């Protein structure tokens, strides 16, 4: 395999076709179902599927025997399923399936975009493509096919590959288990899983994700009145719904330190992950927190860099991501409001049961409400996390060589604070599979926030790495 030819092929395809396709994809406001309850009626999800399907079908002609199907289970978001048979396999060779995963649904708009940028307005500045969803992770189907096409260009053999692109990941992948069960016989028993939906500590080397936190959360509402009343009349008599809500949150989170209080939401962190966190801290230094747009004078929660890595990868953390029941500042009269609601997003450790964590939080917040207030916590998500199995020697070597070839630097390993429910699902179903979890969400790429961008050179290099690793996987399988 000529690695320089892999580089040229992938880079040229990105420039000529993939970046233009991503530009059009960014224009589509195909928000995940949690953020667009009428997604089917609006049709944006179907537009995104059609864009990817059309491009992919045009490329499959170069991969003999390949098939593509948009699978649609009733009442659920669609899923793109591509089956690419083994290429160049000698008679009797082992044919171990490789699954390549990504998603096409997007987070909502979010405020704070720069004046010349917007979630549905693709803008290329230098080597960055701005707009919602390009990096998270609309590029996955294009990068996966680019990798396989690059192998075909040199007639490099590879095992059977299955590409699965779901449309519900940003809502917790609640549709995905139904598709995995529906397609189980067709998927088979994957030996290698490749996921391109993760992050990278910098853009200088390949980063492999060693773990992903789980997530639970939902809407917490505190109601004290049937309707709002004059604050001068009621304050001091009627307890404020906001104060009660603040008190309830203190059951979950220490308001001074941000530490999650219940021991039930923690796990023992494996020593290997602690060691990896320390090495990541040494590699990244203050880039661990410099990447965030702090206001002047603001500091991270601690200056211990390794602890920051562990905080965002193996410890539970709470974020309040939305609020209801409060009028805008310019229309806020002197009224004691009847209720306050907040949307909670609680990241939980990779090996903690997400469903049990969600039920625990619900009971914690709803039990014994102060003053007898009406307290409800409506769970929206309860996905478990994932911790990678130990890499096989062949994969560890392949990753090291690929990072050296295409990034010019050693590979690095670090857990991620986000969630990819598919990984936990596959890890449970296929405990013997190897996992290559990586991505392009590096410093300032700001997934889910304003000014999200895809770092195009990293997208290219990750695609090259996938090609290299898929080829090495086949070579290893045929030698066993």
């Amino acid at each position: 395999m000529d690695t320089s030819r892999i580089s040229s092929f992938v880079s040229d395809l990105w420039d000529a076709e993939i970046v233009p396709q991503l530009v059009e994809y960014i224009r589509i406001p195909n928000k995940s179902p949690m953020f667009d309850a009428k997604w089917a009626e609006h049709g944006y999800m179907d537009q995104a599927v059609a864009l990817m399907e059309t491009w992919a079908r045009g490329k499959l002609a170069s991969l003999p025997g390949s098939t593509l199907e948009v699978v649609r289970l009733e009442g659920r978001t669609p899923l793109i399923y591509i089956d690419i048979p083994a290429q160049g396999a000698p008679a009797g060779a082992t044919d171990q399936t490789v699954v390549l995963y990504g998603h096409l649904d997007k987070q909502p708009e979010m405020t704070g975009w720069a004046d010349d940028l917007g979630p549905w307005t693709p803008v290329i500045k230098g080597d960055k493509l701005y707009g919602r969803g390009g990096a998270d992770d609309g590029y996955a189907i294009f990068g996966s096919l680019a990798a396989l096409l690059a192998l075909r260009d040199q007639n490099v053999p590879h095992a059977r590959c299955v590409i699965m692109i779901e449309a519900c990941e940003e809502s917790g992948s609640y549709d995905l288990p139904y598709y995995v069960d529906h397609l189980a016989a067709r998927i088979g028993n994957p030996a290698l899983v490749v996921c391109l939906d993760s992050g990278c500590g910098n853009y200088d080397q390949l980063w492999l994700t060693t773990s992903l936190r789980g997530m639970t959360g939902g809407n917490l509402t505190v109601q004290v009145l049937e309707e709002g009343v004059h604050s001068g009349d009621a304050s001091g008599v009627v307890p404020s719904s906001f104060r009660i809500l603040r008190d309830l949150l203190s059951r979950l989170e220490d308001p001074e330190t941000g530490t999650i209080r219940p021991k039930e939401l923690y796990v023992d962190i494996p020593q290997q992950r602690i060691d990896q966190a320390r090495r990541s801290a040494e590699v990244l230094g203050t880039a661990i927190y410099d990447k965030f747009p702090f206001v002047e004078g603001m500091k991270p929660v601690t200056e211990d860099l390794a602890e920051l890595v562990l905080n965002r990868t193996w410890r539970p953390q709470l974020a309040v991501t939305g609020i209801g029941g409060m009028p805008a500042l310019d229309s806020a009269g002197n009224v004691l409001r009847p209720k306050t609601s907040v949307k909670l997003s609680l990241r939980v450790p990779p090996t903690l049961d997400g469903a049990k964590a969600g039920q625990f939080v619900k009971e914690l917040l709803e039990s014994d409400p102060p003053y007898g207030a009406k307290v409800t916590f409506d769970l929206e998500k309860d996905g478990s996390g994932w911790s990678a199995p130990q890499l096989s020697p062949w994969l560890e070597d392949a990753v090291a060589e690929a990072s050296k070839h295409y990034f010019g630097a050693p590979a690095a390993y670090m857990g991620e604070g986000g969630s990819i429910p598919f990984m936990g699902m596959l890890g449970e179903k296929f405990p013997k599979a190897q996992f290559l979890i990586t991505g392009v969400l590096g410093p300032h790429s700001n997934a889910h926030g304003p000014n999200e961008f895809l770092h195009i050179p990293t997208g290219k290099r990750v695609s090259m790495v996938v090609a290299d690793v898929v080829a090495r996987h086949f070579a290893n399988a045929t030698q066993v």
Side-chain angles (χ1 to χ4, degrees):
M1 182 172 58
D2 184 342
T3 56
S4 62
R5 187 168 164 181
I6 292 283
S7 298
S8 297
F9 182 95
V10 169
S11 183
D12 290 347
L13 186 60
W14 266 79
D15 290 339
E17 298 187 39
I18 294 178
V19 171
Q21 287 290 315
L22 288 172
V23 164
E24 296 307 312
Y25 165 75
I26 286 170
R27 297 187 196 278
I28 305 171
N30 54 311
K31 291 184 285 188
S32 200
M34 184 181 292
F35 312 108
D36 182 5
K38 297 183 177 180
W39 64 268
E41 178 182 332
H42 291 155
Y44 299 127
M45 202 73 79
D46 287 337
Q47 288 181 31
V49 168
L51 181 147
M52 293 181 176
E53 177 188 7
T54 300
W55 185 85
R57 286 193 185 279
K59 294 300 171 188
L60 292 185
S62 300
L63 298 167
S66 299
T67 59
L68 183 154
E69 179 185 356
V70 177
V71 187
R72 298 179 186 273
L73 297 180
E74 186 176 355
R76 302 200 178 277
T77 50
L79 179 138
I80 300 175
Y81 183 87
I82 303 174
D83 197 322
I84 301 167
Q87 304 285 336
T94 300
D95 182 12
Q96 299 187 45
T97 298
V98 178
V99 170
L100 301 102
Y101 163 86
H103 68 88
L104 58 81
D105 56 314
K106 303 179 185 179
Q107 283 281 319
E109 295 86 341
M110 187 62 180
T111 59
W113 289 77
D115 291 341
D116 60 339
L117 302 174
W120 322 126
T121 305
V123 175
I124 297 176
K125 290 186 176 182
D127 54 13
K128 301 179 179 69
L129 171 58
Y130 287 86
R132 178 68 81 226
D136 186 22
D137 73 332
Y139 85 100
I141 186 171
F142 303 103
S144 296
L145 280 171
L148 299 178
L149 290 164
L151 295 181
R152 181 64 182 174
D153 177 63
Q154 296 186 49
N155 292 317
V156 176
H158 63 76
R160 170 179 176 253
C161 293
V162 169
I163 299 176
M164 297 176 64
I165 307 296
E166 67 157 315
C168 191
E169 194 274 345
E170 299 293 4
S171 298
S173 292
Y174 56 74
D175 284 342
L176 192 57
Y178 297 92
Y179 281 105
V180 172
D181 289 343
H182 178 72
L183 297 167
R186 293 165 64 181
I187 295 171
N189 189 17
L192 174 64
V193 176
V194 177
C195 172
L196 303 183
D197 187 31
S198 196
C200 52
N202 56 37
Y203 302 114
D204 302 323
Q205 58 203 124
L206 177 68
W207 287 82
L208 257 64
T209 298
T210 57
S211 62
L212 296 155
R213 282 190 294 188
M215 181 170 62
T216 188
N219 299 324
L220 174 63
T221 299
V222 175
Q223 184 174 1
V224 296
L225 295 167
E226 296 297 335
E227 60 184 11
V229 296
H230 193 298
S231 63
D233 187 27
S235 58
V237 177
V238 179
S240 161
S241 63
F242 181 83
R243 177 168 66 84
I244 294 174
L245 186 143
R246 183 177 58 189
D247 182 45
L248 291 173
L249 290 181
S250 295
R251 297 179 179 179
L252 182 60
E253 177 191 57
D254 186 318
E256 292 187 6
T257 66
T259 300
I260 299 301
R261 284 177 158 160
K263 67 180 186 306
E264 291 85 350
L265 296 174
Y266 287 82
V267 300
D268 292 330
I269 305 175
Q271 185 61 46
Q272 182 188 40
R273 301 305 186 218
I274 295 174
D275 295 339
Q276 289 172 339
R278 289 170 178 162
R279 287 195 292 271
S280 295
E282 292 172 359
V283 170
L284 296 174
T286 59
I288 291 170
Y289 61 82
D290 286 342
K291 65 180 182 179
F292 300 113
F294 283 121
V295 297
E296 185 176 354
M298 185 70 183
K299 298 178 181 178
V301 297
T302 177
E303 294 186 358
D304 187 320
L305 300 179
E307 286 299 298
L308 291 178
V309 173
L310 291 171
N311 281 349
R312 68 176 288 275
T313 57
W314 276 88
R315 295 189 180 120
Q317 302 289 339
L318 178 67
V320 176
T321 61
I323 193 162
M326 286 193 175
L329 294 178
D330 57 4
S331 59
N334 290 321
V335 174
L336 196 151
R337 296 171 298 98
K339 63 181 179 181
T340 303
S341 299
V342 290
K343 186 177 288 294
L344 303 181
S345 176
L346 180 68
R347 302 287 177 172
V348 297
T351 55
L352 191 71
D353 186 305
K356 290 182 180 179
Q359 192 58 43
F360 172 82
V361 172
K362 181 177 176 66
E363 294 173 3
L364 178 73
L365 296 175
E366 289 184 344
S367 65
D368 192 19
Y371 304 101
K374 183 179 179 181
V375 176
T376 56
F377 182 59
D378 296 323
L379 273 168
E380 289 184 329
K381 43 192 175 286
D382 57 6
S384 297
W386 171 82
S387 184
Q390 185 173 349
L391 293 187
S392 294
W394 77 263
L395 182 53
E396 190 169 6
D397 291 344
V399 164
E401 289 297 316
S403 186
K404 186 187 305 180
H405 282 311
Y406 305 111
F407 283 87
Y413 298 81
M414 184 168 67
E416 284 293 330
S419 306
I420 307 175
F422 186 55
M423 293 305 102
M425 191 183 310
L426 279 193
E428 185 176 320
K429 285 182 175 292
F430 308 112
K432 294 183 179 180
Q434 287 287 288
F435 289 82
L436 174 68
I437 315 299
T438 187
V440 298
L441 294 167
H444 308 292
S445 59
N446 215 20
H448 301 194
N451 309 324
E452 178 184 333
F453 69 75
L454 165 66
H455 188 251
I456 296 171
T458 299
K460 292 179 178 180
R461 292 179 186 130
V462 166
S463 303
M464 298 168 195
V465 166
V466 172
D468 202 301
V469 170
V470 168
R472 289 172 185 266
H473 159 258
F474 181 80
N476 176 76
T478 55
Q479 289 172 5
V480 174

